[in-house]
Amino acid sequence: MAKHSHRFVETYDGFVGYGLDRQTDENTVQFYLQKLSDDELMKVILKRMSDEDLTEIFDVAGKVLKKYLSEPEYHRFFLKEEEG
């Protein structure tokens, strides 16, 4: 069974745009991130990115994880480690 899910992007039929209201902004960010993480798209984009671009993406992702997840949440939700 797959550990990761990207169902939101498959079912969301709301407005995709930023700046309208908080809920739409959250939906749009989730939509963009799930679309961006598509394996086929990543194969195209990653080969074209500079070393600096790769570092920037990695640093932003790390900053978000550190800022908004506790250590146990990081292991549970990001690393998908089983408890106990």
Side-chain angles (χ1 to χ4, degrees), residues 8-68:
F8 180 83
V9 72
E10 299 294 344
T11 61
Y12 182 67
D13 64 355
F15 179 73
V16 176
Y18 202 82
L20 183 64
D21 56 59
R22 175 65 189 226
Q23 188 60 58
T24 303
D25 291 351
E26 290 178 12
N27 292 341
T28 297
V29 168
Q30 184 171 359
F31 185 88
Y32 266 56
L33 289 174
Q34 288 187 3
K35 294 287 279 184
L36 184 63
S37 68
D38 179 76
D39 289 344
E40 190 174 352
L41 178 59
M42 282 287 92
K43 285 179 186 177
V44 173
I45 290 177
L46 289 173
K47 298 298 181 200
R48 297 178 184 176
M49 292 176 76
S50 68
D51 291 347
E52 293 80 15
D53 291 337
L54 289 172
T55 299
E56 185 176 356
I57 294 288
F58 182 79
D59 288 347
V60 168
K63 180 180 174 183
V64 168
L65 293 168
K66 287 178 184 176
K67 185 172 183 176
Y68 297 107

